[in-house]
Amino acid sequence: MRTKLYINGEWVDGIGTIAVHDPSDGSIIAEVALAGDAECEAAVAAADAAAVSWAKTAPRFRSEILRKAFEIMTAENEAIATLISRENGKAMPDARGEAAYAAEFFRWFAEETVRTPGDFRKSPSGDKRILVTHQPIGLSILITPWNFPAGMATRKIGPAVAAGCTMILKPATETPLTAMYIVDVMERAGLPKGVLNLILPEKSGPAISKMLHDDRVMNLSFTGSTEVGRIILKEAADKVIRCSMELGGNAQVIVHDDADLAITIPQLLLAKMRNGGAACTAANRIFVQRPIADKFIAELTKSMSAFVVGRGTDAGITLGASVSLKERNKIAEIVDESVAAGGKVQVGGVKPEGEGAFYPATVLTVDKDNPILNHEIFGPVAPVVIFDTDEEGIAWANDTDFGLISYVFSGNLTRALRTAEAMESGMVAINKGVISDPAAPFGGVKQSGLGREGGFDGIHEFLQTKYIALEI
Ligand code: NAD
C-alpha cells in the first residue's frame, strides 16, 4: 500500500501524516503523508519542468502508457476494489464495478490519444487557409472527491495524459489510498517522472488557492460539491485559469403511468443504490404518475427492503457504509427533517445504533414541498412524490438549481423522448439506471458544472484550440 506523496517520480514524506479510517468500524487503515508548502511547491516545479518535453512526446507513446495502465488495473481489479471498499465503505460489487469503470477511462483515452482531429480549410473569401490545431493546455490541477476515488481520478488522468498535460492530483482526504494506488499504476506503466504528481495538502483551501495564483498553473479539473466548486471558481478567476467543473446533482426521475415496472424497478434501484446512493448521478427525487403510484411504491419498498447492510468487504453485503460518521449523520438528519415535515417512512428511516457509518435503505413518500427534495441526499434514501399530468411532473422535476442527470421511464418512446427533451440536465437516461460510459460526454448544466468528461469532449478539457492563418 502506497501512503506517501508522489513528487517528481519519488514517493516522499511530507510534514506529518493523517489517518485514513475504515468507515465500517472507525479503525485506522493507514497513516498517509500530508503536504506542506514546500511539497506543494515541489509538485508545481516538477510538473512545470516536465511540461515542455511531455507535450512534445508522440501521441503513440502516451497512448501505450495508458493502454498498459488499463491492463494493469484490469489485472488488479480485486486489489483495487478491496482498497476502495476499505477506505470508502462501499460494498464490493460496487467497488469492483468502479475499479473496472476507472480502468476503462485509460483504455478509452489510449484510443483517443492518437485520434485528435484538426482542420484545414480555405477561408470563405479565399484570402487565406485556416488551420485549426489543438495543443496541450499545460500544467493541470486535478481535484477529486471521495465517492468514486478511482473513477474520478482516471477520468482526469486519462485525458490529461492523452492531451500531453502534466498534472498535480489532489485526492479527497478521506480516500487518498486508492489515488496513490493509481499513481503507482501509472508509474509502473512507464509515465515519465514529473508528469503526474500527487499531493495531499494539510489545508486544501489555501494550498489550492496558492496554486491557482501561480503563473505556471494553466488548468483546473475539479469534481466535488457545488459549494466547494463555487469557491474554487472564484479563486481561479484572478488568473483566468481554465476550469472544468463536475459538481453536485439532485437527479430527478419521472416514472410515467405507462412504464413497465419489471424494467423500471431494477433500473431505478441501480440509479438510486449504486455506491449506496453516494453518487452525483443518484436518483434523488422520484416523481411517479398517480395511476401506477401504489404499485410502484409497494414494489420499490419491497426491493429496497432486500438490501443487506454491513462491512463492504464482507461476502453478501449489498449496501456498505457511508464514508464517515459525519456523512452518515447528514443523511439521518435529512430524513428526520423530511419526516418532521410530513414525509412517510415506507421502510428504513432509522439510524442504527453502534459503530460504523451505516444507514439502511429507505423509502419515503413525500409531497412536492418536502425539504428533502432540496438536498443532495448522498445516501440510500428514495423520496417518492406522486404527480398527475406530464406537464406537472416535468415542471416539478426541473424545479431545482441542479442539472446533471434525469431518468425517464415510459413504455412509449415518443412520450419518453418528449420528456427527455424537456429535462433541464446535461444527461438523460431513458428506461436505464446507469449511463456513465467513458465513451460518452458526462457533465451537467445549471449549477451541476461546466464542461464534459469522457467521450470525444473529454480530451478537449486538456487541449486549447489554436488557429493558424496561412497566406496563400
Ligand atoms: P467536496 O466538494 O467536499 O470535496 C471535493 C474535493 O475538493 C476534495 O478533494 C476536497 O478535499 C477538496 N476541497 C474541499 N475544499 C476545498 C477548497 N476550499 N479548495 C480546494 N479543494 C477543496 O466533495 P466530496 O464531499 O468529496 O464529494 C461529494 C460531492 O462531489 C457531491 O456533491 C457530488 O455530487 C460531487 N460529485 C460530482 C461528480 C460529477 O461528475 N458531477 C462526480 C462525483 C461527485
Side-chain angles (χ1 to χ4, degrees):
M1 195 191 288
R2 294 289 190 182
T3 58
K4 295 190 178 184
L5 310 171
Y6 188 69
I7 298 171
N8 204 24
E10 305 284 338
W11 293 94
V12 298
D13 290 316
I15 52 164
T17 61
I18 186 169
V20 179
H21 293 95
D22 178 341
S24 301
D25 59 12
S27 63
I28 293 176
I29 305 170
E31 292 281 343
V32 300
L34 276 179
D37 287 350
E39 290 75 26
C40 292
E41 165 54 30
V44 175
D48 182 52
V52 173
S53 60
W54 177 241
K56 286 185 184 156
T57 52
R60 180 73 73 205
F61 175 73
R62 301 196 300 275
S63 170
E64 285 174 1
I65 291 172
L66 287 173
R67 176 72 204 190
K68 182 90 196 297
F70 161 71
E71 283 163 9
I72 297 172
M73 283 191 71
T74 303
E76 298 177 10
N77 178 284
E78 194 66 12
I80 298 168
T82 305
L83 192 56
I84 294 172
S85 178
R86 287 200 66 206
E87 68 173 348
N88 167 285
K90 70 179 75 174
M92 279 301 278
D94 282 329
R96 288 189 189 104
E98 183 189 344
Y101 171 65
E104 286 296 339
F105 281 102
F106 287 159
R107 174 152 68 172
W108 172 256
F109 283 108
E111 293 155 356
E112 282 294 279
T113 312
V114 291
R115 313 225 188 286
T116 313
D119 193 9
F120 181 81
R121 273 179 287 141
K122 191 189 263 189
S123 65
S125 65
D127 69 332
K128 61 181 160 316
R129 296 295 177 270
I130 294 171
L131 269 98
V132 181
T133 186
H134 303 283
Q135 296 180 320
I137 190 161
L139 202 170
S140 300
I141 309 287
L142 318 179
I143 303 179
T144 54
W146 54 259
N147 66 329
F148 287 104
M152 298 303 99
T154 61
R155 202 162 80 174
K156 298 183 188 305
I157 296 169
V161 169
C165 292
T166 58
M167 296 151 267
I168 298 173
L169 172 64
K170 195 219 84 64
T173 317
E174 295 88 340
T175 55
L177 295 169
T178 307
M180 288 166 175
Y181 195 113
I182 288 168
V183 170
D184 184 73
V185 168
M186 296 310 293
E187 185 181 42
R188 284 187 277 150
L191 197 69
K193 71 172 190 171
V195 173
L196 171 61
N197 304 274
L198 182 149
I199 55 156
L200 196 63
E202 189 185 23
K203 290 197 175 75
S204 296
I208 298 298
S209 169
K210 194 167 176 199
M211 288 184 188
L212 294 175
H213 289 88
D214 188 314
D215 288 335
R216 295 167 290 182
V217 172
M218 307 304 294
N219 188 31
L220 168 76
S221 175
F222 173 82
T223 298
S225 63
T226 298
E227 192 188 357
V228 172
R230 207 176 274 125
I231 296 170
I232 294 180
L233 270 176
K234 285 181 186 154
E235 295 284 348
D238 289 339
K239 289 271 181 189
V240 196
I241 300 278
R242 174 128 150 230
C243 292
S244 155
M245 311 298 286
E246 295 290 340
L247 307 179
N250 194 1
Q252 53 248 35
V253 181
I254 294 198
V255 183
H256 283 298
D257 53 14
D258 57 3
D260 180 348
L261 292 189
I263 295 169
T264 304
I265 298 292
Q267 291 298 324
L268 181 59
L269 287 178
L270 291 173
K272 174 71 258 179
M273 296 300 284
R274 192 168 66 115
N275 238 17
C280 50
T281 52
N284 243 18
R285 299 174 300 126
I286 302 166
F287 299 95
V288 60
Q289 212 151 11
R290 194 172 303 277
I292 59 163
D294 288 348
K295 190 161 187 272
F296 171 85
I297 292 164
E299 289 192 21
L300 179 64
T301 303
K302 187 169 168 231
S303 300
M304 289 285 274
S305 313
F307 277 89
V308 184
V309 183
R311 178 189 293 276
T313 47
D314 286 353
I317 296 301
T318 50
L319 176 55
S322 184
V323 75
S324 64
L325 282 175
K326 186 172 150 223
E327 287 296 322
R328 189 281 304 270
N329 292 343
K330 269 198 228 167
I331 299 165
E333 278 166 25
I334 289 171
V335 171
D336 293 350
E337 180 193 39
S338 170
V339 171
K344 303 260 179 313
V345 175
Q346 305 297 318
V347 65
V350 179
K351 185 168 79 174
E353 298 290 330
E355 65 183 13
F358 299 110
Y359 198 81
T362 297
V363 177
L364 294 170
T365 45
V366 301
D367 63 42
K368 85 159 192 31
D369 299 319
N370 193 280
I372 197 165
L373 303 179
N374 298 325
H375 293 288
E376 184 182 23
I377 305 166
F378 240 55
V381 179
V384 181
V385 183
I386 299 172
F387 70 94
D388 285 298
T389 64
D390 288 15
E391 292 69 28
E392 184 178 62
I394 290 167
W396 290 0
N398 283 334
D399 185 16
T400 169
D401 289 337
F402 297 93
L404 189 61
I405 184 167
S406 313
Y407 301 87
V408 177
F409 293 93
S410 169
N412 178 323
L413 185 58
T414 305
R415 189 183 191 188
L417 204 52
R418 198 181 299 131
T419 303
E421 288 191 354
M423 289 295 97
E424 295 170 359
S425 57
M427 301 177 284
V428 184
I430 295 179
N431 293 333
K432 192 135 188 72
V434 177
I435 63 165
S436 299
D437 189 313
F442 187 104
V445 300
K446 294 161 101 175
Q447 294 188 28
S448 286
L450 303 167
R452 293 291 180 271
E453 291 192 321
F456 300 121
D457 303 41
I459 194 170
H460 287 281
E461 301 293 339
F462 293 89
L463 291 170
Q464 52 199 348
T465 303
K466 179 170 279 180
Y467 157 46
I468 301 171
L470 190 66
E471 170 70 30
I472 197 156

